[in-house]
Amino acid sequence: MLDIRIRDGAICEIGELLRPEDQEEVIDARNAYVAPGFIDMHVHLREPGNPEKETIATGCAAAVAGGFTALAAMPNTHPALDTPEMVRWVKESAERAGLARVYPIAAITHGREGKEPVDFAALSRAGAVAFSDDGNTIESAIVQTSAALRARESGRVFITHCENAAIKERDEFDPAAESSAVARDIAIARATSLPWHIAHVSTRDAVDAIAEAKQLRITCTAEATPHHLVFTRDDAAQFSAGTKVHPPLRSAVDVDALRHAVRNGTIDAFASDHAPHADGTSPGFSGLEVAIGAYALALPDLPVRRYVELLSCNPARILGVPGGTLTVGSPADVTIFADRDWVVDPADFHSKGKRTPFSGKSLPRRAITTIVAGSVVMENRRVSARSAR
Ligand SMILES: [Zn+2]
């Protein structure tokens, strides 16, 4: 068993039986795991545009309550995050909230319309860590390819939402809508050598395509969500909450393939696709506060070391952001979690979005303490901003 000493927002010492020095607060993490801070690389904060669904502050409170020290914010806000000014505004708003670190993802095309690529260099300089038109699949392969070529200099990853609109329109549950879009984007990643990340993979065929891409050494990574790892479309029939989500819940064969892909490394990251809504009909679930328990529910056999890789080390590496390590000198972003059963009650959520298929479900793991830059921002679900302490 090791102790960690934190000073001035960074980890300054790791060793056995460290002695607390004057004024130092001691956190007892016995019977729990101490991990580098979890990073949720797929979150929808609804600001600017829809503060009734979520604000940057409530989204960040949900993040730290769920055990996340950082999140990457998708650009499908109103307006879309496609200017340096807006990227800076999101970062500043998150800084004021004083909870989780927020890494903005900027749009690939202006207004996420799939037509005109954004100014990748300027957005990257403003703090965008990745680019995505998430929610939309860029229909034109020519636009997608020229955008990828222009983005290369920024060194930033493209994150793509892969659902072919024409196939989906014919049959919203056809898995080919996903696998055909994934195959196309892998081909573009290969042709352009841009690092590429496939969002919310949900089908066996997409998993196979990504595994093959990795064998070919194409720079392609992928993520899986809690709901796609736990529920099938048949389960969805029993939910009282709405079940609509993009991509849709799939078959038992797909869920099995996705879990297997997490175990064998085809899937690199867990990501919640936190999508809060004020109504009961729009697609998407509130994910931040159930995610880490849901991953453990889906994969009880997954070694904790690998679990932490998927929640911390790999998201940090894919996004090129700090974190994913507890070595001396690194920022003191720490998640303490434990294997404790608890029952999901959305009324307790810090998020304004209360809709989740996990409502009433028992989950086997939860976050106990969340530390950002050396400050405790969550302890036993009580959230307090860094500045407030
Ligand atoms: Zn998406």
Side-chain angles (χ1 to χ4, degrees):
M1 201 149 38
L2 293 172
D3 293 324
I4 295 174
R5 193 187 311 277
I6 293 171
R7 192 168 293 160
D8 300 328
I11 291 170
C12 75
E13 195 178 1
I14 298 177
E16 275 181 67
L17 301 170
L18 299 185
R19 250 183 234 192
E21 292 176 9
D22 284 352
Q23 319 271 319
E24 278 183 340
E25 184 185 354
V26 177
I27 297 170
D28 184 351
R30 275 176 292 191
N31 303 316
Y33 301 98
V34 179
F38 292 165
I39 301 168
D40 192 333
M41 61 181 296
H42 192 147
V43 171
H44 298 275
L45 300 175
R46 300 301 191 184
E47 273 190 310
N50 292 95
E52 77 286 0
K53 295 183 176 188
E54 195 83 290
T55 64
I56 289 172
T58 60
C60 288
V64 298
F68 294 95
T69 58
L71 63 88
M74 280 294 180
N76 63 335
T77 48
H78 299 284
L81 301 184
D82 60 4
T83 66
E85 292 71 31
M86 284 216 298
V87 165
R88 280 193 286 266
W89 180 82
V90 168
K91 282 175 72 89
E92 286 158 13
S93 303
E95 202 48 53
R96 271 196 301 277
L99 294 162
R101 297 180 199 267
V102 171
Y103 299 114
I105 298 169
I108 293 174
T109 63
H110 283 288
R112 296 170 50 254
E113 288 175 351
K115 291 176 187 149
E116 202 50 51
V118 296
D119 185 342
F120 297 104
L123 285 157
S124 174
R125 277 196 302 274
V129 299
F131 296 99
S132 179
D133 273 5
D134 185 52
N136 294 347
T137 306
I138 293 176
E139 216 168 295
S140 161
I142 295 170
V143 171
Q144 186 85 292
T145 305
S146 65
L149 288 171
R150 285 202 223 174
R152 261 199 313 202
E153 222 163 290
S154 77
R156 297 293 177 187
V157 64
F158 269 19
I159 302 175
T160 54
H161 176 126
C162 291
E163 286 190 292
N164 178 289
I167 298 175
K168 197 163 168 150
E169 197 155 307
R170 198 188 54 205
D171 172 2
E172 70 173 304
F173 298 108
D174 188 344
E178 176 172 281
S179 52
S180 62
V182 167
R184 184 201 69 172
D185 277 8
I186 287 171
I188 296 174
R190 187 180 200 180
T192 60
S193 304
L194 190 79
W196 211 284
H197 181 78
I198 310 288
H200 42 53
V201 176
S202 68
T203 62
R204 182 196 59 186
D205 294 352
V207 162
D208 288 348
I210 293 159
E212 201 181 327
K214 289 187 163 182
Q215 268 176 6
L216 292 169
R217 303 201 172 282
I218 298 168
T219 51
C220 166
T221 52
E223 71 189 27
T225 72
H227 43 279
H228 291 117
L229 282 165
V230 171
F231 299 112
T232 64
R233 188 142 58 90
D234 294 337
D235 296 329
Q238 302 154 24
F239 300 157
S240 52
T243 59
K244 231 178 146 50
V245 64
H246 297 309
L249 299 174
R250 304 287 187 183
S251 71
V253 170
D254 293 310
V255 173
D256 274 352
L258 199 58
R259 290 176 180 172
H260 188 62
V262 170
R263 292 189 197 100
N264 73 17
T266 302
I267 296 290
D268 305 87
F270 288 136
S272 76
D273 193 6
H274 177 78
H277 289 288
D279 62 65
T281 49
S282 305
F285 304 130
S286 191
L288 281 164
E289 288 165 270
V290 297
I292 78 161
Y295 302 131
L297 178 73
L299 294 143
D301 55 331
L302 193 72
V304 169
R305 177 177 292 273
R306 173 95 186 108
Y307 175 88
V308 171
E309 274 173 19
L310 283 141
L311 276 162
S312 182
C313 320
N314 291 353
R317 179 174 50 82
I318 292 164
L319 296 172
V321 300
T325 173
L326 288 178
T327 49
V328 170
S330 56
D333 289 6
V334 182
T335 299
I336 302 176
F337 63 97
D339 288 328
R340 277 183 214 162
D341 291 326
W342 63 288
V343 175
V344 177
D345 179 358
D348 294 340
F349 283 2
H350 290 78
S351 170
K352 291 190 179 184
K354 309 293 181 192
R355 186 142 58 91
T356 167
F358 292 96
S359 181
K361 254 199 156 353
S362 176
L363 299 180
R365 184 171 283 172
R366 73 181 308 169
I368 306 294
T369 306
T370 308
I371 299 171
V372 176
S375 293
V376 175
V377 288
M378 188 281 285
E379 210 164 12
N380 295 318
R381 293 203 50 80
R382 269 209 16 215
V383 169
S384 52
R386 274 174 270 165
S387 51
R389 286 175 74 103

